[in-house]
Amino acid sequence: MPEFKTGPIIKNYGQNAQIAGALENPSQRNFKIIFDISEDSKSDKVNANYNTVARFINMHVRAGVPLKNLDIAMVIHGKASSEMLTRDLYQARFSKDNVNDELLNDLINAGVDIYVCGQSASYYKIDSSQLKPGINMALSAMTANQLLQQQGYILNPF
């Protein structure tokens, strides 16, 4: 049985097993995927949904898909919106560190586009200037999902 490993792109997250021959012509594949995320972290553990994005990236690169062929977008809304705050603002608001900081930075550095629902942000009193660098404010999650789908992105069902 294949062994689960992290990496090769997101080094400490996104455990996956290499499945030989499971993806035909991987170097010729292109993916445009939306991950719609509304749940926040549980019990001070890294948000499992963000780890799923890391796993998607790692799994496909390990299978031979070039990173440049992975267009990944995360649409964040609901309770997850607060996890997009800068490190200092999150610490000031919740009196603890955001356990997702390292992973979110790794995802941004890997080219993942992150959009926060402006409606959720307003509800949670978050201004666009309070978001981590590299995270964008959208009018709404519904709008971001629709606009991305018009660009050929497909909503990931997991």
Side-chain angles (χ1 to χ4, degrees):
M1 294 301 296
E3 179 184 345
F4 281 84
K5 298 178 183 175
T6 60
I9 301 299
I10 310 295
K11 301 293 183 195
N12 297 317
Y13 304 94
Q15 302 82 350
N16 65 91
Q18 186 170 6
I19 309 299
L23 185 60
E24 188 178 328
N25 301 316
S27 64
Q28 298 172 19
R29 299 289 172 210
N30 292 288
F31 293 86
K32 293 180 95 171
I33 304 291
I34 303 166
F35 290 86
D36 186 271
I37 301 169
S38 62
E39 294 182 28
D40 60 349
S41 300
K42 305 298 180 212
S43 305
D44 290 329
K45 293 186 179 182
V46 168
N47 190 313
N49 294 301
Y50 309 152
N51 194 55
T52 295
V53 179
R55 186 174 72 236
F56 186 90
I57 293 168
N58 285 340
M59 171 174 47
H60 285 86
V61 170
R62 180 168 278 131
V65 178
L67 181 60
K68 67 183 172 87
N69 291 8
L70 299 176
D71 292 319
I72 312 294
M74 292 169 49
V75 176
I76 306 297
H77 55 103
K79 290 183 178 182
S81 302
S82 294
E83 294 175 340
M84 301 301 115
L85 289 167
T86 65
R87 181 183 305 262
D88 292 341
L89 287 171
Y90 187 92
Q91 170 53 245
R93 223 179 249 201
F94 299 104
S95 300
K96 63 180 182 178
D97 290 332
N98 182 350
V99 297
N100 300 292
D101 270 342
E102 178 184 44
L103 177 51
L104 289 169
N105 288 332
D106 288 348
L107 291 169
I108 292 166
N109 290 334
V112 174
D113 293 318
I114 302 176
Y115 302 93
V116 175
C117 171
Q119 305 307 303
S120 293
S122 293
Y123 179 81
Y124 290 105
K125 309 217 180 311
I126 299 170
D127 181 82
S128 61
S129 67
Q130 297 173 314
L131 298 174
K132 294 172 78 50
I135 297 179
N136 304 292
M137 186 74 73
L139 175 60
S140 72
M142 295 179 287
T143 305
N145 273 297
Q146 178 61 36
L147 291 173
L148 287 163
Q149 288 179 55
Q150 288 176 9
Q151 296 171 39
Y153 283 76
I154 297 171
L155 185 62
N156 183 39
F158 298 100

